[in-house]
Amino acid sequence: MKKFLALTLSAALMLSLAACGGGTTGDDAAKDNAAATGVAIEGDTIKIGVFEPTTGENGGGGMQEVLGMRYANKVNPTVDINGTTYKIQLVEVDNQSDKTAAVTAAQSLISSGVVAVLGSYGSGVSIAAGQTFADAQVPAIGASCTNPQVTLGNDFYFRTCFLDPFQGTVMASYAIEKGYKTAALVSQNGDDYSTGLAAFFKQAFEGMGGTIVADETYQTNESDFNAILTTIKGANPDCIFAPSSIATATLLLPQAQANGIKAQIIASDTWENETIITAAGSAAEGVALSTFFDEHDESNPVAKEFVEGFKAYLNGDPQNLTLNGGSDGVAAVSALGYDAYMSIYEALKALDGAEALNSVALRDALKAVSFNGVTGAISFDENGDAVKNVAYIKQIKDGKFNFLKTQSAE
């Protein structure tokens, strides 16, 4: 009886060990197979996640990026692969401009069965969610997340914009060309985009012979910049570089004006938003900034067609106009959002004839994508970064963004 009991316990122990991973079961094999291929494309619908902030300090810019993606989906709603016409369904989540909420939003997208992800506006949330997408082996393609850390070491993250080392150097080159010899910096503590871009500007500006006379920082959700601006006014810089969110810009500019600051204020891509002009009014006049696109540049036929169609899309629905900041101006982030969608679309088309239809195969196809996009030729380097070497410089004048010039990093 004891021998029978011992054999029974032994068998039970073996089964228990197997269930705990001590052996290979059918379920384990299925999981291993899934891990090797990511998420399979099944049925006749392909789900693509939209991972963007539509609330929080970057909600305005994130919404403009979403509009570009929605329009792209409206223009290209289906794709043919291996004789099947697949409907492309966008699954949208709000990452709330918050790193913690971003991880939850990313997990929600993976749980919904998306095979690719678009976004995000804002580097911090993209970096925070990057490992979630990599672990699920689902490719993500950012539109305007410019910090190098977004794609560094992540074989599943791509992007359609240029990077902050390039953008910081571009604005330093612009400042030097304008004859500015001294500069002040204003950046947000703990924000990867803001502090990273300020550091790249500083390195380039000093490398070109300029001098940083003030390097000021502020906290998230800070609304009173008078102490910072008093220090900067005392340093008397030729220009002030302030890479920040849209919300911060609407507060910083009127306070700079009220403090009697005359230095040229220059900024980065996030400042190309009509909300800043509306909120800051005359205080926004003269601000110069770098961006990815200009709607008036008709040298690219793809861009010309996009601008015409996107304006019709905005004007065809009052809600779209409201979400775009109240006008039919075409923001660069909308153009980048469109190009991000088209990058996935081109990669899906490249799967035609392939035996494996899954997110890993889609990631591999993305690496070889090459097409003429709205913001220029789109292809990716070994890090998944778009290959680009020119930025657009715009200046706010008479309540509008006006194109000044293209600018390289040299």
Side-chain angles (χ1 to χ4, degrees), residues 34-215:
T37 59
V39 179
I41 294 175
E42 298 175 332
D44 59 1
T45 298
I46 295 174
K47 292 183 179 180
I48 297 178
V50 176
F51 172 68
E52 293 285 353
T54 54
T55 59
E57 66 176 345
N58 289 324
M63 193 66 243
Q64 287 182 313
E65 224 161 81
V66 172
L67 288 170
M69 294 165 183
R70 288 179 183 174
Y71 174 65
N73 181 243
K74 177 180 172 65
V75 175
N76 299 282
T78 63
V79 62
D80 293 335
I81 307 173
N82 294 344
T84 298
T85 298
Y86 291 90
K87 176 186 176 183
I88 301 176
Q89 177 187 349
L90 297 182
V91 181
E92 297 183 9
V93 294
D94 176 14
N95 63 41
Q96 303 176 39
S97 313
D98 179 85
K99 293 179 182 179
T100 301
V103 175
T104 302
Q107 291 168 340
S108 171
L109 284 177
I110 297 303
S111 296
S112 72
V114 301
V115 297
V117 173
L118 304 171
S120 174
Y121 184 103
S123 296
V125 291
S126 301
I127 295 169
Q131 195 59 49
T132 300
F133 300 136
D135 288 346
Q137 297 191 306
V138 169
I141 178 162
S144 62
C145 42
T146 48
N147 189 288
Q149 296 296 322
V150 173
T151 57
L152 191 64
N154 189 332
D155 204 29
F156 281 84
Y157 229 125
F158 299 75
R159 64 180 133 202
T160 56
C161 58
F162 49 61
L163 274 63
D164 285 339
F166 171 78
Q167 184 171 205
T169 304
V170 159
M171 291 313 290
S173 298
Y174 173 75
I176 292 294
E177 285 184 14
K178 294 290 289 183
Y180 305 143
K181 296 179 179 178
T182 59
L185 302 175
V186 180
S187 61
Q188 178 181 332
N189 270 329
D191 183 85
D192 298 308
Y193 169 83
S194 184
T195 57
L197 191 45
F200 292 125
F201 175 91
K202 179 180 180 179
Q203 182 181 32
F205 190 69
E206 290 180 333
M208 296 174 193
T211 301
I212 301 298
V213 294
D215 190 350

Side-chain angles (χ1 to χ4, degrees), residues 272-326:
E272 193 196 14
N273 187 287
E274 301 277 351
T275 304
I276 294 175
I277 298 176
T278 302
S282 61
E285 286 290 305
V287 168
L289 56 99
S290 55
T291 186
F292 313 94
F293 173 74
D294 178 60
E295 66 172 289
H296 302 295
D297 181 4
E298 297 187 348
S299 62
N300 179 357
V302 177
K304 185 173 185 293
E305 182 179 1
F306 164 77
V307 169
E308 292 172 353
F310 189 62
K311 281 182 176 290
Y313 171 72
L314 293 174
N315 289 308
D317 187 334
Q319 185 179 15
N320 286 344
L321 276 178
T322 300
L323 294 175
N324 195 49

